[in-house]
Amino acid sequence: RREGGRGEVAFRKGDVRNEKEISSIFTEFPDISCVIHFAGLKAVGESSLIPLQYYDVNVSGSINLVKTMLRHGCKNLVFSSSATVYGDPEVLPVDESCRTGTMSSVYGRNKFFVEEFIRDTCSSSVGLNAFILRYFNPIGAHPSGEIGEDPKGLPNNLMPYVSKVAVGTLPELQVFGDDYDTIDGTGVRDYIHVVDLANGHVKAVEKLEGGWGGCEEVNLGTGRGYSVMELVEGMKKVSGWGGGGGEGEVYKGSFGSRLNSMKDRRDMTTHSNDVVGWIRRMGECVGVDLVDFNSPQHVGKDTNLDVVKKELIDAGLKAGAICLRYPKSMIRGALTNPDPALRRQAVDLTKDACRIATSLGCDEVVVWSAYDGYDYSVGAEYGTLWDWMVEGFREVCDEFENVKVSLEYKPTDENTRFFIVPSTGAALKLCSDVDRPNFGLTLDFGHCLMSGESPAQSATMVAREGKLFGVQLNDGYSRLAAEDGMMFGTVHPIMALEFVMVLREYNYSGHIYFDTFPHNEDPVLEASRNVRVFKRMWSWAVEAERRGIKEARRRMDVMEVLKILDLVMYGKDEGE
């Protein structure tokens, strides 16, 4: 409804499952004469993962909406259905007389059941009139560019996926099937532009409000199919995109960012200041696919993980890893505590983290202990601490053979002046002593700097041993014991690029996690920038290799190396 004669539309947020909320809208606007029902969950793949939520929202919500409409005297309905109700059609092209009810997805069955409910209600004595509009494949945006389709996370539909590849947000488009009986061997669909779709709804409303009565199903499509490759070629023509994933090789892995950073700059978000709100805010970060949860702070053994899973799905995210944070009660040590009861608690907490990881669909637990170390010389028996740590990790790895248990070493911390594993060399020694295939290391770029190490050399050493399970990227000023957590590549860009080159050289297969602390910056923009910088550095690494940087490094020809980097990073040789 337009208000105040200014062309503005009144907006009220509600849930179709909440009868009180919907009823209050009809009470506020008693002249509502027709409802266009779009509300629902719509991802075919997701529907099989959370069917109860789909039936609750799509079917129960629709029943509740129609009941409330009729109670307030509103008897005209336009229902947003789908061509999925035709299932695998027996004839092509599909028209409204084709058989329905043979669909294989939960989403398709939802639409079919709601259609049946509407038809039955219209056939009764209550006086409901309805158009059931079956969409085929809506695509496109309003010509103004103000309204369009730019989904968070990985798109479920072809057009936004092609668009994201064209602008470089996604690395490539995979086309499934090239031997269909079509013009070019790729699948054909009937695509309808969203503006045409909107006009179809307007026509349905106009007919209902003109006095038409009954219930009728109408297909909304063009009647002309287009193949996947025709759509791709059309995008190339209008956008100038060259196809593929851009020039040369692109990074195809996943990205995660520090969930606690979503607490910062509360003035820039309306999301709640809790785990649910932080997940939703993380979903706004461009290029971020994964969430690494701290345990037990974010998720513990008593957490309702079904709620966490739903929030991840809604935000277009997945769980990347569980990062263990032992409690303050273990200040004298977790796996190295002199009290055997507390050591047992630490082992059990680590096992809980493995169970949570499995439940959330990830296979990695990253262990960083603020307390496993010592403060004073002659204040600890180093060999005993080491043996306790080896013993604890072995027990966890043996019980959870399908979970990668990864140590994130750190040389020093305000809680522990000397970590018992203070360097890459010591960490590799621990891997050797634990001697389990599912035990490895997570290298933090800033921790390497704190140790006085070259991050790229550390990555090389660990990767050569097959123990590079994870990386955490950031940057800092390398002051003694300082952990700045700054954006990747902002302080040490050459070292950052070298680190990326090593990851590529050794075919690193884990995800990229940004462990940064944007206290003063917008954390969504900060995380999105980190992703872009890593991808840019990956492309630089590809170009540097093409220009012969490997051979120059083998010769230790620093001037040639710098010349190549100048060309790759700045587009010219500094001597030009």
Side-chain angles (χ1 to χ4, degrees):
R1 166 180 169 161
R2 296 185 183 276
E3 285 190 307
R6 300 186 304 275
E8 296 179 358
V9 176
F11 174 77
R12 301 295 181 267
K13 183 177 180 179
D15 188 326
V16 287
R17 296 170 295 179
N18 189 319
E19 186 174 341
K20 184 177 180 181
E21 288 181 353
I22 302 304
S23 185
S24 68
I25 294 171
F26 280 98
T27 300
E28 182 181 1
F29 303 105
D31 58 343
I32 293 176
S33 58
C34 183
V35 171
I36 304 178
H37 178 21
F38 294 112
L41 303 177
K42 64 170 287 291
V44 172
E46 179 191 67
S47 69
S48 63
L49 299 176
I50 49 173
L52 286 177
Q53 290 171 245
Y54 268 70
Y55 278 100
D56 185 32
V57 173
N58 294 350
V59 180
S60 299
S62 298
I63 293 172
N64 187 64
L65 173 63
V66 172
K67 284 167 56 180
T68 309
M69 285 174 56
L70 294 173
R71 191 166 60 253
H72 286 269
C74 179
K75 297 187 176 183
N76 293 325
L77 174 68
V78 178
F79 174 56
S80 161
S81 190
S82 169
T84 57
V85 298
Y86 293 115
D88 189 8
E90 298 169 338
V91 295
L92 292 173
V94 176
D95 63 27
E96 293 84 351
S97 66
C98 290
R99 185 162 61 95
T100 59
T102 61
M103 45 290 138
S104 59
S105 69
V106 171
Y107 167 73
R109 285 191 287 274
N110 283 177
K111 291 295 189 183
F112 176 72
F113 292 155
V114 175
E115 283 194 8
E116 290 286 276
F117 149 69
I118 291 172
R119 279 189 286 270
D120 289 342
T121 306
C122 289
S123 298
S124 70
S125 59
V126 299
L128 181 69
N129 303 304
F131 275 109
I132 296 172
L133 304 184
R134 294 170 177 164
Y135 307 176
F136 281 77
N137 294 271
I139 60 172
H142 190 271
S144 67
E146 295 181 359
I147 303 175
E149 188 175 20
D150 185 21
K152 301 173 185 176
L154 203 62
N156 290 306
N157 299 319
L158 178 60
M159 189 63 166
Y161 204 110
V162 172
S163 301
K164 285 182 178 288
V165 174
V167 300
T169 304
L170 290 174
E172 63 183 3
L173 172 70
Q174 292 184 327
V175 178
F176 299 99
D178 60 3
D179 58 355
Y180 292 100
D181 185 19
T182 62
I183 187 172
D184 54 24
T186 61
V188 169
R189 296 288 184 272
D190 184 344
Y191 297 99
I192 179 172
H193 195 275
V194 289
V195 174
D196 294 330
L197 191 69
N199 288 333
H201 287 76
V202 171
K203 294 297 182 183
V205 171
E206 289 174 349
K207 188 162 185 176
L208 284 166
E209 296 201 329
W212 179 87
C215 181
E216 186 173 340
E217 303 83 14
V218 178
N219 289 346
L220 293 182
T222 65
R224 194 270 203 212
Y226 292 87
S227 73
V228 172
M229 291 312 300
E230 283 181 306
L231 202 66
V232 169
E233 291 302 320
M235 176 62 77
K236 290 181 184 180
K237 182 177 179 180
V238 300
S239 70
W241 168 49
E247 293 185 7
E249 173 193 326
V250 294
Y251 180 72
K252 299 178 182 178
S254 296
F255 294 93
S257 193
R258 179 173 164 267
L259 188 61
N260 278 348
S261 70
M262 296 298 125
K263 298 178 183 180
D264 293 321
R265 293 305 305 265
R266 300 302 308 165
D267 58 312
M268 292 183 168
T269 183
T270 58
H271 294 304
S272 58
N273 195 19
D274 54 22
V275 172
V276 168
W278 304 334
I279 292 173
R280 292 175 180 177
R281 197 176 185 191
M282 186 73 79
E284 298 173 358
C285 301
V286 177
V288 173
D289 315 292
L290 304 174
V291 174
D292 288 14
F293 292 98
N294 289 354
S295 180
Q297 290 79 7
H298 299 151
V299 288
K301 65 179 181 179
D302 297 324
T303 301
N304 185 338
L305 297 181
D306 287 336
V307 172
V308 176
K309 291 176 186 177
K310 181 185 182 302
E311 290 298 332
L312 286 171
I313 290 172
D314 289 348
L317 300 166
K318 295 181 181 179
I322 302 300
C323 301
L324 191 58
R325 298 291 184 265
Y326 297 110
K328 191 78 171 178
S329 59
M330 297 180 181
I331 186 111
R332 297 183 65 206
L335 297 175
T336 63
N337 198 292
D339 183 343
L342 284 175
R343 290 204 304 277
R344 170 47 46 195
Q345 287 183 27
V347 170
D348 289 343
L349 273 175
T350 312
K351 291 180 179 180
D352 287 341
C354 292
R355 294 186 187 95
I356 293 168
T358 301
S359 297
L360 289 179
C362 56
D363 65 351
E364 184 176 0
V365 169
V366 180
V367 178
W368 173 69
S369 172
Y371 310 120
D372 279 317
Y374 56 94
D375 292 335
Y376 291 96
S377 299
V378 203
E381 206 295 296
Y382 311 128
T384 299
L385 298 186
W386 189 269
D387 291 341
W388 283 338
M389 179 166 277
V390 169
E391 179 183 308
F393 277 128
R394 281 180 176 173
E395 181 179 335
V396 173
C397 289
D398 287 343
E399 185 168 335
F400 294 91
E401 294 180 348
N402 294 323
V403 175
K404 293 184 291 186
V405 180
S406 182
L407 177 76
E408 176 194 352
Y409 89 85
K410 187 178 182 181
T412 184
D413 187 82
E414 61 181 7
N415 298 291
T416 306
R417 271 66 174 192
F418 277 93
F419 187 41
I420 192 62
V421 186
S423 66
T424 299
L428 283 172
K429 169 62 175 169
L430 183 66
C431 287
S432 176
D433 288 358
V434 173
D435 192 25
R436 296 295 186 270
N438 58 327
F439 183 75
L441 302 177
T442 289
L443 285 186
D444 183 295
F445 190 89
H447 294 181
C448 291
L449 294 174
M450 289 172 64
S451 298
E453 298 176 349
S454 160
Q457 183 183 0
S458 294
T460 299
M461 293 166 60
V462 178
R464 284 169 64 94
E465 297 298 319
K467 290 297 182 180
L468 188 56
F469 286 6
V471 295
Q472 300 193 354
L473 304 185
N474 43 49
D475 213 335
Y477 290 108
S478 305
R479 293 168 297 182
L480 184 62
E483 185 173 17
D484 298 311
M486 301 182 76
M487 285 178 272
F488 185 55
T490 52
V491 182
H492 298 91
I494 301 298
M495 296 180 81
L497 173 56
E498 185 185 25
F499 192 88
V500 173
M501 291 168 65
V502 169
L503 295 183
R504 180 174 175 272
E505 180 180 353
Y506 286 92
N507 299 311
Y508 172 70
S509 59
H511 70 276
I512 304 299
Y513 175 81
F514 297 106
D515 189 13
T516 54
F517 298 78
H519 298 311
N520 300 313
E521 295 75 37
D522 182 333
V524 172
L525 296 180
E526 190 259 9
S528 303
R529 183 190 187 278
N530 282 326
V531 173
R532 292 197 307 274
V533 168
F534 183 91
K535 288 182 175 181
R536 185 183 307 129
M537 288 189 174
W538 188 275
S539 68
W540 286 348
V542 174
E543 179 62 14
E545 181 179 329
R546 189 185 71 81
R547 291 179 177 270
I549 200 167
K550 274 190 174 183
E551 291 74 16
R553 292 175 67 199
R554 287 193 186 99
R555 298 192 308 268
M556 298 183 71
D557 187 344
V558 175
M559 296 310 298
E560 180 64 19
V561 166
L562 292 177
K563 177 180 179 180
I564 292 171
L565 292 182
D566 286 340
L567 289 168
V568 167
M569 299 172 69
Y570 309 119
K572 63 180 181 179
D573 178 359
E574 65 175 6
E576 293 178 358

